[in-house]
């Protein structure tokens, strides 16, 4: 009975419920991004490059934020943080959203949901339930179904599920999560020994119509097989052997629970003393791979049935076959323990993620071989999917139980993160060295070229400009001092002035020749006065223009001098290169230190995982040794009984 109860409990381990990353918003989905940085962050996220995705959002937030996408960037930042295991950062993001009462209800609902999910993953059931209760009834139906399924799981953990029944579960509209909720509740009652109540949930699960979608049909078939198997063992515990056999026969022979169902079928038949009826399922079991515990147990169960049928010869032969098979399997496990080094385990964990279909094909191709074959799924970096899928999968029955544990999956995910960080740091080491060499070369080239060309060119330009400025300023000062209006006259006035000057020279020559010039001289003086008056009227405007031109020359000269001074300083001290070189040196030191710390953590985490794998294999070896000892004793007992029956 103890073995039966242990087997029933092992069947009733509740699977954790999944929450896919999703953003709830009232606004219509956008078909294009309004901010390039938002699009880049989304691209990295969908490529499962969470480091660059969250970095893009954090850099944008530190500047002027992402524009045109309302609260979506903050929700995505929190979701990505959760996906990458940055729980503290995710909590701060969601808490910041919830502190602002002006946020839309849809945004607050999403924040409360993911904050509750965060508490759920931490095992803080009270805080998780409190957050879930703050989500409004208008929350997106698909996510609300997950939320209610999580709430049921919390009730199961707190043992507050006595009032729940299959009808009430159906009314909650759990959608795709309904089968899991029914099984979890049935498993909870079975663990408490209330098999009658457990059977109501298992029967409700068995009555569910299998989905037509092939992506969910296989999972629901497996879940129904598990419920049939659990029902069978619950009836077996209640000594309802016919009912147990009825449920065991409903399990598909090609399903993953077929071995346990066949084994239970045989024990139910034995309990009814129908030993011949037990032979058929146990003989089928013995023909299957010995790595499965149910097959191992059948090696001893089959000769036990032969003994009950008074067939000692067949029993001895079956026990001896069991001895041979068990000894061989024990040696295979020992070889696996010796050959599965930390390096090989690290290679398995660091393998390239495969798509679901490709992973399935590779595992099927490997079969139930002697070694450990495992694949990493394409969710190999997403912490949000840790509770709905295995990050690393295997067909090995010896490792399946260990690989299914959240503790092991979490450790694998942490190690993959560390390995990714190691590669990132290793990639940056040569880059930083290259950047440093580039700057040093740039500094040397600048010293050679700028001293020879740039400085000389700027010095000559500054000197020429200074001379022009001084000449221009001196001439302008002379014009102002002499009030030489005609010096700043326009071109037409100056042309007329030249004609008046030539006319004056002609009048002088005429006077020297004794000619009469009174009338001409009077007109000459009139024209000269008019030109002077005209130049005087234009003088203020022309003077202001000349002074403005002088100011522009002074500004240009100051700019040239400033540039020359800056070049002198850079050439002498390399002000723009030295700080970068110092920063690069700091980064190189930090990168080397972080790489060493990361490698230590990788070695430590690999050692822990290797110990877990070894302990798992050791437990299987111990069970096989126990079966082998029982087989030895049974053979000795049968031989002894046969000797006693022979006449002396």
């Amino acid at each position: 009975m103890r073995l039966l109860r242990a087997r029933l409990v092992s069947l009733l381990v509740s699977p954790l419920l999944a929450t896919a990353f999703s953003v709830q918003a009232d606004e219509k989905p956008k078909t294009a991004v309004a901010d390039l940085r938002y699009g880049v962050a989304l691209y990295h996220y969908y490529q499962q490059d969470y480091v660059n995705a969250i970095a893009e959002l954090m850099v944008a937030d530190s500047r002027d934020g992402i524009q045109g996408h309302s609260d979506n960037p903050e929700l995505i930042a929190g979701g990505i943080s959760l996906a990458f295991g940055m729980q503290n950062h995710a909590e701060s993001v969601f808490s910041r959203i919830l502190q602002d009462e002006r946020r839309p209800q849809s945004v607050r609902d999403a924040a409360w949901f993911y904050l509750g999910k965060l508490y759920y993953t931490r095992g803080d059931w009270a805080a998780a339930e409190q957050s879930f209760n703050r989500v409004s009834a208008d929350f997106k139906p698909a996510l609300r179904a997950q939320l209610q399924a999580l709430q049921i799981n919390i009730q199961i953990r707190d043992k507050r599920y006595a009032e729940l029944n299959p009808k009430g579960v159906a009314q909650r509209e759990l959608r795709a999560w309904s089968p899991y909720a029914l099984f979890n509740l049935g498993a909870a009652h079975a663990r408490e020994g209330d098999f009658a109540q457990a059977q109501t949930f298992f029967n409700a699960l068995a009555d569910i119509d299998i989905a037509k979608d092939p992506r969910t049909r296989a999972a629901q078939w497996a879940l129904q097989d598990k419920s049939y198997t659990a029902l069978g063992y619950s009836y077996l515990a209640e000594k309802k052997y016919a009912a147990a056999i009825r449920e065991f026969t409903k399990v598909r022979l090609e399903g993953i629970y077929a071995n346990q169902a066949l084994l239970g079928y045989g024990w139910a038949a034995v309990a009814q003393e129908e030993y011949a009826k037990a032979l058929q399922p146990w003989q089928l079991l013995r023909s299957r791979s010995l790595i499965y515990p149910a097959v191992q147990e059948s090696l001893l169960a089959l000769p036990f049935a032969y003994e009950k049928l008074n067939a000692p010869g067949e029993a001895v032969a079956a026990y001896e076959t069991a001895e041979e098979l068990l000894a061989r399997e024990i040696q295979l496990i020992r070889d696996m323990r010796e050959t599965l080094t930390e390096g090989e385990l690290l290679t398995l964990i660091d393998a390239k993620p495969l798509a679901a279909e490709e992973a399935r094909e590779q595992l099927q191709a490997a079969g139930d071989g002697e070694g450990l074959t495992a694949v990493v799924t394409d969710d190999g970096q997403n912490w949000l999917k840790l509770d709905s899928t295995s990050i690393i999968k295997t067909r090995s029955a010896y490792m399946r139980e260990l690989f299914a544990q959240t503790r092991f999956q979490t450790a694998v995910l942490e190690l993959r993160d560390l390995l990714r960080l190691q590669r990132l740091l290793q990639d940056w080491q040569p880059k930083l060295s290259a950047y440093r060499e580039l700057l040093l070369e740039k500094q040397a080239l600048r010293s050679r070229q700028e001293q020879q060309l740039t400085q000389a060119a700027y010095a000559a330009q500054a000197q020429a400009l200074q001379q022009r400025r001084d000449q221009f300023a001196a001439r302008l000062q002379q014009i102002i001092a002499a009030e030489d209006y005609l010096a700043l006259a326009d071109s037409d006035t100056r042309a007329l002035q030249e004609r008046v000057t030539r006319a004056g020279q002609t009048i002088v020559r005429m006077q020297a020749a004794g000619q009469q010039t009174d009338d001409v001289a009077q007109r000459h003086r009139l024209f000269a006065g008019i030109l002077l008056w005209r130049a005087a009227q234009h003088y203020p405007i022309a003077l202001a223009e000349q002074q403005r031109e002088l100011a522009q020359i002074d500004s240009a000269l100051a700019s040239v001098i400033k540039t020359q001074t800056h070049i002198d300083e850079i050439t002498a001290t390399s002000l723009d290169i030295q700080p970068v070189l110092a920063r690069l040196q700091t980064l190189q030191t930090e990168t080397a230190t972080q790489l060493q710390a990361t490698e230590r953590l990788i070695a430590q985490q690999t050692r822990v995982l290797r110990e877990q794998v070894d302990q798992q294999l050791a437990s299987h070896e111990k069970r096989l040794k126990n079966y082998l000892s029982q087989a030895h004793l049974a053979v000795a007992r049968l031989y002894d009984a046969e000797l006693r029956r022979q006449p002396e």
Side-chain angles (χ1 to χ4, degrees):
M1 179 61 70
R2 181 182 302 171
L3 179 61
L4 176 61
R5 184 175 295 275
R7 185 175 294 114
L8 179 59
V9 170
S10 70
L11 280 168
L12 304 178
V13 176
S14 302
L16 294 174
L17 295 170
T19 297
F21 175 71
S22 175
V23 176
Q24 165 73 7
D26 291 336
E27 61 185 20
K28 294 182 179 180
K30 294 182 181 294
T31 57
V33 294
D35 193 309
L36 179 60
R37 293 167 299 185
Y38 183 61
V40 173
L42 287 180
Y43 171 79
H44 287 306
Y45 172 76
Y46 287 117
Q47 295 295 317
Q48 297 192 22
D49 188 0
Y50 302 115
V51 172
N52 285 330
I54 192 65
E56 191 71 32
L57 290 174
M58 292 176 73
V59 169
D61 185 60
S62 67
R63 295 177 179 175
D64 56 351
I66 290 178
Q67 308 299 323
H69 291 278
S70 186
D71 300 291
N72 286 357
E74 286 186 281
L75 289 174
I76 289 180
I80 293 176
S81 300
L82 275 181
F84 195 56
M86 298 168 59
Q87 295 183 349
N88 293 335
H89 183 261
E91 183 177 16
S92 66
V93 171
F94 294 134
S95 299
R96 185 170 63 252
I97 292 175
L98 293 170
Q99 287 174 358
D100 188 354
E101 297 291 340
R102 297 170 299 176
R103 304 272 186 171
Q105 186 61 43
S106 59
V107 174
R108 296 179 61 79
D109 284 344
W112 280 120
F113 174 74
Y114 287 116
L115 192 59
K117 175 68 175 177
L118 173 63
Y119 292 137
Y120 185 90
T121 57
R122 288 178 175 175
D124 189 347
W125 317 121
E129 188 170 33
Q130 184 178 6
S131 295
F132 290 149
N133 290 337
R134 300 288 295 273
V135 177
S136 71
D138 297 328
F139 193 40
K140 187 177 181 180
L143 291 179
R144 186 163 185 81
Q146 297 181 36
L147 181 149
Q148 293 189 88
L150 289 171
Q151 288 177 316
I152 291 176
N153 259 14
I154 294 174
Q155 289 179 271
I156 291 173
R157 292 179 183 275
D158 293 342
K159 299 186 184 301
R160 294 185 285 109
Y161 56 89
E163 301 300 324
L164 296 176
N165 55 66
K167 184 177 180 181
V169 172
Q171 292 175 347
R172 293 197 180 197
E173 298 182 357
L174 297 180
R175 297 192 174 194
W177 303 106
S178 181
Y180 298 96
L182 291 171
F183 185 86
N184 290 347
L185 288 166
H189 285 291
R191 287 194 296 269
E192 296 297 324
D194 188 355
F195 298 115
Q197 189 65 17
Q199 289 161 11
T200 62
F201 287 98
F202 290 141
N203 283 322
L205 172 58
D207 292 339
I208 292 179
D209 291 334
I210 297 298
K212 296 181 179 180
D213 189 346
R215 294 173 297 181
T216 58
R217 185 170 58 218
Q220 291 191 7
W221 270 341
L223 197 58
Q224 284 193 338
D225 283 346
K226 192 174 184 180
S227 67
Y228 291 139
T229 306
L231 274 170
Y233 278 103
S234 67
Y235 284 130
L236 197 56
E238 292 181 320
K239 298 183 179 181
K240 298 178 180 179
Y241 305 119
I245 291 176
R246 183 183 68 246
E247 297 302 327
F248 287 137
T249 55
K250 295 178 182 178
V251 179
R252 296 170 303 139
L253 285 177
E254 69 276 10
I256 61 175
Y257 297 101
N259 292 338
Q260 297 178 65
L262 289 170
L263 184 65
Y265 183 109
W267 285 121
V270 167
Q272 296 181 102
E273 297 184 355
E274 297 180 359
Y275 304 112
K277 191 175 182 179
L279 290 178
Q280 184 176 0
W282 285 348
Q283 287 173 338
L284 178 59
L285 262 182
R286 194 178 67 169
S287 66
R288 298 191 172 192
S289 174
L290 198 59
I291 67 174
Y292 298 104
V295 178
Q296 298 167 5
E297 187 174 338
S298 71
L299 294 179
L300 300 182
L302 185 61
F304 170 77
Y306 282 134
E307 285 191 70
K308 291 296 184 179
L309 290 172
N310 294 319
E314 287 82 355
V316 170
Y319 277 127
E320 290 178 341
T321 300
E323 286 179 320
E324 179 182 353
L325 294 176
L326 289 170
R328 185 188 307 165
E329 196 68 19
I330 289 172
Q331 187 59 46
L332 290 176
I333 291 181
R334 288 174 177 172
D335 293 341
M336 189 183 301
R337 293 179 65 185
E338 291 178 0
T339 57
L340 188 59
T341 63
E342 293 181 8
E344 291 187 0
L345 183 61
L346 193 61
T347 301
L348 283 175
I349 293 174
D350 196 28
K352 179 183 178 182
L354 302 177
E357 184 63 24
E358 188 178 359
R360 184 183 62 81
E361 292 176 356
Q362 185 165 322
L363 288 176
Q364 286 182 344
D368 302 323
E370 299 177 359
L372 174 60
T373 301
V375 297
V376 175
T377 68
D378 56 0
D379 296 324
Q381 292 179 337
N382 195 333
W383 288 74
L384 279 180
K385 297 184 179 180
L386 183 60
D387 52 3
S388 63
T389 185
S390 295
I391 304 305
I392 184 169
K393 297 180 179 180
T394 181
R395 280 179 59 88
S396 173
Y398 293 137
M399 292 290 100
R400 189 175 296 157
E401 180 182 356
L402 175 64
F403 279 28
Q405 295 175 5
T406 302
R407 177 174 60 94
F408 184 82
Q409 293 288 328
T410 301
V412 169
L413 203 47
E414 288 175 346
L415 184 53
R416 284 185 61 83
D417 289 344
L418 287 172
L419 289 169
R420 188 176 186 281
L421 181 59
Q422 181 190 41
R423 288 192 293 270
L424 186 65
L425 293 172
Q426 289 174 342
D427 289 343
W428 269 107
Q429 279 190 319
K431 291 179 182 178
L432 291 173
S433 298
Y435 292 156
R436 186 174 184 276
E437 293 298 325
L438 181 63
L439 286 173
L440 291 174
E441 179 62 26
K442 181 179 179 181
Q443 187 179 40
L445 181 62
R446 175 180 293 176
S447 297
R448 292 192 300 268
Q449 293 181 341
E450 290 183 346
Q451 288 180 359
Q452 297 173 3
L453 302 175
T454 310
Q455 286 186 342
Y458 269 102
Q461 183 181 4
Q463 185 177 3
L465 190 59
Q466 183 67 50
Q467 291 176 354
R468 289 177 55 195
R469 185 266 176 200
D470 292 342
Q471 293 172 358
F472 184 79
R475 180 174 176 275
L476 187 61
Q477 188 61 35
Q478 291 174 358
I479 293 172
I480 295 173
E483 295 185 353
D484 188 357
Y485 302 139
L486 291 172
L488 299 181
D490 58 25
S491 58
D492 291 340
T493 302
R494 287 197 300 272
L496 291 173
Q497 175 62 28
E498 290 179 359
R499 292 177 63 184
V500 169
T501 301
R502 289 196 300 271
Q505 294 172 354
T506 301
I507 291 172
V508 171
R509 289 195 298 271
M510 289 173 65
Q511 289 175 347
Q515 296 180 10
Q516 180 63 34
T517 61
D518 292 341
D519 184 55
V520 177
Q522 184 178 359
R523 283 186 291 169
H524 175 266
R525 288 192 296 272
L526 176 61
F527 287 139
I530 292 173
L531 285 177
L532 183 60
W533 177 83
R534 181 176 177 179
Q537 293 296 315
H538 181 70
Y539 177 78
I541 299 175
L543 179 61
E545 185 176 349
Q546 294 296 313
Q547 289 175 336
R548 184 165 53 253
E549 183 176 349
L550 179 62
Q552 291 176 352
I553 294 175
D554 287 339
S555 177
L557 182 60
S559 177
V560 171
I561 294 174
K562 182 179 179 181
T563 302
Q564 182 183 6
T565 303
H566 185 58
I567 291 176
D568 291 339
E569 292 175 350
I570 290 177
T571 304
T573 61
S574 298
L575 292 178
D576 62 336
I577 293 180
Q578 291 302 329
V580 181
L581 285 173
R583 177 60 177 158
L584 281 175
Q585 182 62 42
T586 302
L587 288 174
Q588 285 180 310
T589 304
E590 291 178 353
T591 301
T593 303
Q594 291 173 358
L595 182 58
Q596 292 176 358
T598 302
E599 289 174 344
R600 286 195 299 269
L601 288 173
I602 289 174
Q604 177 182 344
Q605 190 77 347
T606 305
R607 185 165 54 253
V608 170
L609 287 176
R610 173 66 181 84
E611 291 173 355
Q612 291 181 15
V613 171
D614 189 70
Q615 290 172 3
Q616 183 74 8
L617 291 173
S619 66
H620 286 289
E621 183 180 346
K622 181 179 179 180
R623 184 182 64 253
L624 290 173
K625 285 181 177 179
N626 182 42
Y627 286 152
L628 182 59
S629 298
Q630 293 182 44
H632 288 330
L633 291 174
V635 170
R637 175 174 52 78
L638 289 174
Y639 275 127
D640 182 68
E642 182 63 24
L643 288 174
R644 290 178 182 275
R645 284 195 294 269
Q646 293 181 3
E648 297 183 0

